[in-house]
Amino acid sequence: MTEIETNQRDSELFSPPSNVRGMTKLDRTAFKKTVTIPVLKVRKEIVNKLMRSLKRAALQRPGIKRVIEDPEDEESRLVMLDPYKIFTDGSFERAELSILKQLNVSPQIHKYNLELTYENFKSEEILRAVLPEGQDVTSGFSRVGHIAHLNLRDHQLPFKHLIGQVMIDKNPGITSAVNKINNIDNTYRNFQMEVLSGEENMMTKVRENGYTYEFDFSKVYWNPRLSTEHSRITELLKSGDVLFDVFAGVGPFAIPVAKKNCTVFANDLNPESHKWLLHNCKLNKVDQKVKVFNLDGKDFLQGPVREELMQQLGPLSKERKHSVHIVMNLPAKAIEFLSVFKLLLDGPPCGIELLPIVHCYSFSKDPNPAKDVQQRAGAVLGISLEACSSVHLVRNVAPNKEMLCITFRIPAAVLYKNQTLTLENQDDPPLKRQKTDKVFSEEKTQMASVTSLEMPSPSPH
């Protein structure tokens, strides 16, 4: 029997009673149900030995004991059997019958009325029984400390308080369930949320990749689904490197990178994020390695970042061994901020291998999301990035919507005023194009040292 068939048959016998359909206020007592289960009567001293040989025939249902006391004989136990495999004593396999005979156990099947309650049902089974038949069931959520963060669909909203309570009941450690009620489209990247059930305390603590973060979830941005991405970027940096984190949030990029003995400049416009970023730097003992700012991303790039780059990429930069990375994790708008890099620096250009490496995040609904992100980023910078960048697929956000990270070195022709002026002052357009192509060709060669990430195939969505 296939796994799908097994799940279907289990849902028939072990599903909640039909009278809970349409329930909007959770009534746990309404989930009582009695099912008839085949059992074997066994002497209690041989139960353990017998169970090792009856794995196929025994009931396999989480939360239900397979061996219970015999109400008629205290020296015996009742072994619960799978009602879809064992119907009569003729349902046992030859090897099982041999063991029964060896242990002097009668293969006679008895019937036992098993009472199922709310505690015996999984959250998905409960919601499938309650919500309108055929509708999507919410059983997944993002866990943020003690908070379950759900994104309910319209047809689930009449059942929102029940769904929230079920999530709390069925997930140990969850004491609050919330639902997002608007998109992340405001200045500070947080979102309005409604407490569906449980406590209204949004102050939480999470552990990610070995680091601890504390914050008020209702006032800052945090997405547990990005933990792998935080780790991926961290691994790209080496001790002594410099990181500029333009939209730092509460520190999931900045803090692990600082722990690698890197210099970090971390910024966030949201005063609450700035507050918790400072707090988490101290909490993780990296406050001496992270310089924290509370600026608009553009002001951060044109101010502290420009100032530091002028020093990092100045005349003494040839002696420098470390790399400079710029992370821009604001997928809805980060590409627009790339325009700040145009003509940002004065002075003679540094060597290509010293140019800053940008990791810029974006969403895409295009059939070829990697190419779409490259073209949009290139359009803002006024160059082609298709030959000198890599694109990493971070995650699928929604049907036909991907989150991606484009990585590239900022070309000297973009970053430096003098470089661009030299090119623009050429009288011969083909010569200008030739020199520009030469710069980009050299930078393309350097991309091999930036990252070994592969460009993803077009999204299947």
Side-chain angles (χ1 to χ4, degrees), residues 363-373 375-376 400-402 404 457-461:
F363 295 129
S364 177
K365 296 183 178 180
D366 194 88
N368 189 337
K371 187 174 182 180
D372 171 53
V373 169
Q375 290 179 341
R376 287 192 287 120
N400 303 314
K401 185 177 181 181
E402 312 289 349
L404 308 103
S457 303
S459 170
H461 300 292

Side-chain angles (χ1 to χ4, degrees), residues 380-426:
V380 173
L381 291 170
I383 59 168
S384 173
L385 287 175
E386 292 189 39
C388 59
S389 67
S390 68
V391 179
H392 176 76
L393 178 60
V394 177
R395 70 186 189 96
N396 176 253
V397 178
N400 303 314
K401 185 177 181 181
E402 312 289 349
M403 178 180 175
L404 308 103
C405 176
I406 180 169
T407 294
F408 61 93
R409 288 190 189 273
I410 309 174
V414 171
L415 190 60
Y416 285 92
K417 296 176 182 176
N418 291 356
Q419 175 85 6
T420 307
L421 287 171
T422 302
L423 292 171
E424 289 177 349
N425 286 339
Q426 302 298 328

Side-chain angles (χ1 to χ4, degrees), residues 51 88 138 153 158 238 248 324 326 333 343 421 437 457:
M51 292 304 292
T88 66
T138 294
R153 300 184 180 180
K238 298 178 176 61
V324 175
I326 302 173
K333 295 183 177 180
L343 314 182
L421 287 171
D437 290 344
S457 303

Side-chain angles (χ1 to χ4, degrees), residues 54 115 179:
L54 286 184
E115 184 179 77
N179 182 42

Side-chain angles (χ1 to χ4, degrees), residues 201-243:
N201 175 25
M202 294 296 104
M203 291 292 302
T204 190
K205 176 191 289 190
V206 300
R207 288 279 292 175
E208 180 185 275
N209 300 327
Y211 302 96
T212 301
Y213 303 90
E214 295 178 344
F215 49 84
D216 183 337
F217 185 51
S218 67
K219 296 180 180 178
V220 304
Y221 177 79
W222 180 269
N223 190 337
R225 294 188 174 95
L226 294 179
S227 63
T228 301
E229 185 63 11
H230 298 150
S231 179
R232 182 184 76 88
I233 294 296
T234 300
E235 289 173 5
L236 294 178
L237 280 83
K238 298 178 176 61
S239 177
D241 285 353
V242 177
L243 173 69

Side-chain angles (χ1 to χ4, degrees), residues 247-301:
F247 312 104
V250 298
F253 284 118
I255 288 169
V257 169
K259 275 287 188 182
K260 296 185 75 170
N261 198 33
C262 297
T263 301
V264 178
F265 296 78
N267 172 74
D268 203 282
L269 176 62
N270 183 352
E272 283 290 321
S273 295
H274 175 260
K275 179 180 81 173
W276 290 109
L277 176 57
L278 285 168
H279 173 82
N280 290 322
C281 285
K282 290 181 180 178
L283 187 64
N284 291 278
K285 298 181 171 59
V286 294
D287 47 308
Q288 299 303 312
K289 297 176 182 176
V290 183
K291 298 179 181 179
V292 178
F293 300 85
N294 181 208
L295 300 170
D296 177 79
K298 182 178 180 181
D299 295 334
F300 177 61
L301 290 167

Side-chain angles (χ1 to χ4, degrees), residues 20 127 146 152 154-155 160 164 198 306 324 380 396 407 431 440:
V20 301
L127 298 183
H146 67 278
L152 297 182
D154 289 345
H155 72 271
K160 61 185 179 181
R306 179 184 181 280
V324 175
V380 173
N396 176 253
T407 294
L431 180 60
F440 294 154

